[in-house]
Amino acid sequence: MKKTLIALMTFAAVAPAAWAQDRIYRCGNEYTNNASQAKERGCKLVEGGNVTVVQGARAGGAPAASGGGGSTAPSASASPANAPRVDTNDQRARDSDARAILEAELRKAEARQAEIAKEYNNGEPQRTALELRNPQLWIERTAELKASLARADSDVAGIKRELSRLPAANR
């Protein structure tokens, strides 16, 4: 009885702190508990549960702004102020290297795609001796080849998409 009473008193002392949370306002993608700032910016009160905000890292390794946030996130194309500048020739060399790597990957992916397509044989792969005795194995291998061919097609398309995003090659 005494232990139960002590546990109940401890819970009664701690519970209000756990339940008490300042009002939280949402301002676009930012959250704040500063009521005056929220009113100025036209933020909306968040109701119906606790809010947990996990701070992430911004591009360039700089930590995200903490707190109620009066800052706005930079656009995706803007680089941080402390980002090192890259010489135009160096950037061209990097782009050229990236293009060469992607072109080599594309050649490998296309070769693999052709190899799988040849083995798949338009859905009629050649049966092995074991598959002649057990047709279910042939059906399973055919399904695996079909899935592999779809993955290979997707890989080739993805590499081509990445190549199209790179600046034109300067030759």
Side-chain angles (χ1 to χ4, degrees), residues 1-3 9 12 15 19 23 57 63 71 81 86 97 100 108 148-149 161-162:
M1 178 69 173
K2 194 173 189 180
K3 287 183 182 180
M9 288 175 50
W19 290 323
R23 291 181 164 205
S71 64
V86 177
D97 290 347
K108 286 184 207 172
S148 294
L149 186 58
R161 213 174 20 254
E162 287 299 316

Side-chain angles (χ1 to χ4, degrees), residues 95-149:
D95 291 342
S96 176
D97 290 347
R99 179 170 291 283
I101 291 167
L102 283 172
E103 286 172 347
E105 288 295 320
L106 179 61
R107 284 190 298 275
K108 286 184 207 172
E110 286 174 334
R112 177 151 171 73
Q113 179 188 32
E115 179 183 312
I116 293 171
K118 182 180 177 185
E119 185 178 351
Y120 183 60
N121 193 25
N122 292 324
E124 294 292 327
Q126 188 171 358
R127 295 175 191 252
T128 63
L130 188 57
E131 291 169 344
L132 288 171
R133 283 185 249 134
N134 187 350
Q136 184 62 34
L137 293 176
W138 181 81
I139 293 169
E140 290 171 2
R141 184 169 67 97
T142 303
E144 287 175 13
L145 285 170
K146 184 178 182 180
S148 294
L149 186 58

Side-chain angles (χ1 to χ4, degrees), residues 78-89:
S79 47
N82 61 350
R85 299 293 297 166
V86 177
D87 183 50
T88 305
N89 291 332

